[in-house]
């Protein structure tokens, strides 16, 4: 893998070219002090002071009596130890506020490559839905997975020259309340040919997908040929799409081929083989076709795209064990039929 291939998958690189077939997004370059704020774990957890008095926990109940418990009285032994002042990013906050309003009042955030999915639990909704800069800062500051973007984006590149990109961005994507997880798919492109499509949410069996499988394959293949095939510059990559109720296809994200990108219902070896054997039968499209084929281990606190699944890793061994177990269940079911 090359640095250029990783760089092309940054949202600020691909979104301007494909925004007409993607989710509405506003992108802001992050000032270096904010990047350092995200990286700093040496002191207490402090959220930025909001110049608009927004609260990261808008539904919490303030109890003045409890707050008084933390006041330091005069003459206390701790009097000399003044707590650090929380940071403030007024210019960025105002830019973010304007973007949130332009996108309908609710967004979900991500950096160059990844979203803070592992910190969704801390929000008041249990999701990545944000309506203020304070809520966004809370999710970003609480996320461990974003360290990938901040420090390790190029670790898999054989021509690695830097540990971080030239700049970091905050992408604010319009929040859609009623998206169906079963209608998101990961697509695999090898030598600029679409060689595989996988259900993105592989932890659940969705019976309705069985009826739609053939029509979905055609929709996604046509979308790839008409919109991506000759326009995305990498030869090998993956892209995620969402299919709407009226059969429109929206590109959600791009990821590099291999490395930290999960192959979901494939293995990378299978996808390489599909590339050499692709024939008249078309693209290999895989969905969870029964309850016994569910892969429960892939619902984790870490964003799917940034798990370490390299050969020999814990997740690589887990997936091999899961595949063996699935094959054994299938053989047992066939023997009992």
């Amino acid at each position: 893998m090359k640095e250029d291939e990783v760089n092309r998958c940054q949202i600020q690189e691909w979104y301007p070219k494909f925004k007409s077939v993607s989710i509405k997004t506003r992108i802001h370059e992050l000032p270096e002090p904010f990047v350092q704020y995200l990286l700093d774990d040496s002191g207490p957890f402090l959220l930025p002071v909001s110049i608009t008095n927004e609260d990261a926990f808008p539904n919490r109940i303030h109890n003045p009596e409890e707050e008084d418990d933390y006041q330091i009285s005069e003459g206390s032994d701790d009097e000399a130890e003044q707590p650090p002042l929380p940071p403030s990013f007024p210019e960025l906050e105002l830019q973010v506020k304007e973007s949130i309003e332009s996108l309908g009042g609710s967004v979900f955030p991500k950096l160059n490559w990844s979203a803070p999915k592992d910190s969704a639990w801390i929000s008041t909704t249990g999701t990545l839905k944000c309506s203020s800069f304070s809520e966004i800062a809370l999710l970003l500051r609480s996320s461990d997975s974003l360290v990938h973007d901040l420090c390790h984006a190029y670790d898999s590149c054989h021509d690695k020259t830097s540990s971080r990109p030239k700049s970091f961005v905050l992408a604010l994507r319009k929040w859609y309340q009623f998206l169906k997880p079963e209608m998101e798919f990961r697509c695999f492109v090898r030598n600029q040919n679409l060689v595989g499509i996988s259900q993105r949410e592989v932890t659940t069996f969705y019976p309705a997908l069985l009826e739609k499988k053939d029509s979905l394959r055609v929709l996604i293949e046509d979308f790839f040929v008409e919109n991506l095939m000759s326009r995305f510059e990498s030869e090998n990559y993956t892209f995620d799409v969402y299919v709407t109720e009226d059969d429109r296809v929206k590109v959600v994200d791009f990821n590099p081929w291999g490395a930290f990108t999960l192959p979901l219902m494939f293995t990378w070896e299978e996808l390489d083989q599909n590339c050499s054997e692709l024939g008249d039968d078309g693209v290999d499209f895989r969905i969870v076709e029964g309850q016994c084929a569910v892969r429960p281990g892939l619902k984790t606190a870490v964003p799917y795209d940034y798990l370490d699944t390299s050969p020999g890793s814990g997740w690589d061994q887990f997936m091999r064990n899961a595949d063996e177990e699935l094959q054994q269940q299938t053989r047992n079911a066939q023997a009992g039929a």
Side-chain angles (χ1 to χ4, degrees):
M1 182 186 301
K2 298 181 179 180
E3 279 192 7
D4 284 346
E5 295 175 315
V6 175
N7 285 335
R8 291 187 192 110
C9 295
Q10 296 179 99
I11 191 167
Q12 73 271 29
E13 295 293 328
W14 65 260
Y15 180 76
K17 183 181 292 187
F18 299 106
K19 64 181 180 180
S20 64
V21 290
S22 187
I23 298 172
K24 290 182 180 180
T25 303
R26 295 286 296 271
I27 298 174
H28 301 277
E29 185 167 346
L30 290 176
E32 185 61 26
F34 188 81
V35 175
Q36 293 306 314
Y37 162 72
L38 297 180
L39 286 169
D40 183 17
D41 60 358
S42 60
F45 188 105
L46 296 174
L47 289 175
V49 173
S50 172
I51 61 172
T52 58
N53 295 318
E54 294 174 331
D55 192 342
F57 299 100
N59 296 324
R60 65 175 169 174
I61 299 174
H62 292 270
N63 190 332
E65 294 180 359
E66 291 182 357
E67 293 176 358
D68 289 341
D69 291 341
Y70 295 93
Q71 301 298 320
I72 298 176
S73 60
E74 293 185 11
S76 168
D77 293 338
D78 296 331
E79 190 173 13
E81 297 183 10
Q82 295 297 325
L85 295 175
S88 181
F89 307 97
E91 185 175 348
L92 178 61
E93 180 177 355
L94 290 176
Q95 293 172 355
V96 166
K97 180 179 177 64
E98 180 184 354
S99 290
I100 291 174
E101 291 173 352
S102 72
L103 293 171
S106 298
V107 300
F108 70 93
K110 67 177 295 181
L111 299 189
N112 299 35
W113 292 277
S114 56
K117 295 180 182 177
D118 60 322
S119 58
W121 63 271
I122 204 171
S123 74
T124 55
T125 63
T127 70
L128 297 185
K129 180 182 179 181
C130 296
S131 57
S132 71
F133 175 74
S134 295
E135 291 177 323
I136 292 170
L138 174 66
L139 290 179
L140 298 181
R141 187 67 174 80
S142 304
S143 175
D144 291 326
S145 65
L146 291 187
V147 173
H148 170 273
D149 285 26
L150 298 171
C151 303
H152 303 291
Y154 303 112
D155 284 1
S156 299
C157 299
H158 60 74
D159 61 346
K160 176 182 176 182
T161 60
S162 176
S163 61
R164 53 173 284 176
K166 294 179 180 179
S167 63
F168 289 101
V169 301
L170 172 62
L172 304 176
R173 318 207 72 185
K174 182 177 177 64
W175 178 265
Y176 293 93
Q177 185 69 35
F178 300 108
L179 293 184
K180 298 179 178 179
E182 68 268 28
M183 298 308 291
E184 187 176 0
F185 304 92
R186 170 155 294 172
C187 309
F188 301 86
V189 179
R190 185 72 164 168
N191 298 326
Q192 295 189 335
N193 292 310
L194 184 61
V195 299
I197 303 172
S198 172
Q199 179 177 327
R200 186 72 173 80
E201 170 57 275
V202 298
T203 67
T204 307
F205 168 51
Y206 298 100
L209 283 184
L210 293 174
E211 302 175 4
K212 299 178 179 179
K213 184 177 179 180
D214 291 338
S215 61
L216 287 168
R217 186 207 316 268
V218 173
L219 283 173
I220 295 172
E221 287 184 23
D222 289 347
F223 175 83
F224 168 71
V225 172
E226 294 171 7
N227 296 281
L228 306 183
M229 186 175 184
S230 60
R231 299 180 64 197
F232 195 78
E233 296 176 357
S234 295
E235 289 192 355
N236 308 313
Y237 60 95
T238 75
F239 64 95
D240 295 343
V241 296
Y242 182 82
V243 181
T244 66
E245 290 187 356
D246 57 356
D247 291 339
R248 289 178 295 128
V249 181
K250 297 287 186 179
V251 62
V252 176
D253 209 358
F254 288 89
N255 286 293
W257 179 277
F260 49 76
T261 306
L262 278 184
L264 300 177
M265 300 199 69
F266 294 93
T267 65
W268 289 114
E269 292 81 4
E270 288 176 322
L271 289 164
D272 284 328
Q273 186 176 5
N274 286 356
C275 177
S276 60
E277 296 181 355
L278 191 63
D280 296 335
D281 293 337
V283 178
D284 189 353
F285 186 11
R286 298 188 181 182
I287 62 173
V288 176
E289 298 192 358
Q291 197 62 44
C292 67
V294 166
R295 300 192 177 192
L298 287 183
K299 180 167 285 188
T300 71
V302 182
Y304 292 147
D305 301 340
Y306 304 109
L307 288 170
D308 178 12
T309 56
S310 58
S313 69
W315 274 101
D316 173 61
Q317 186 59 49
F318 174 84
M319 290 304 300
R320 292 180 185 276
N321 293 342
D323 283 336
E324 292 174 3
E325 178 65 23
L326 173 60
Q327 293 171 9
Q328 183 62 44
Q329 291 179 11
T330 303
R331 286 194 294 268
N332 292 343
Q334 292 173 343

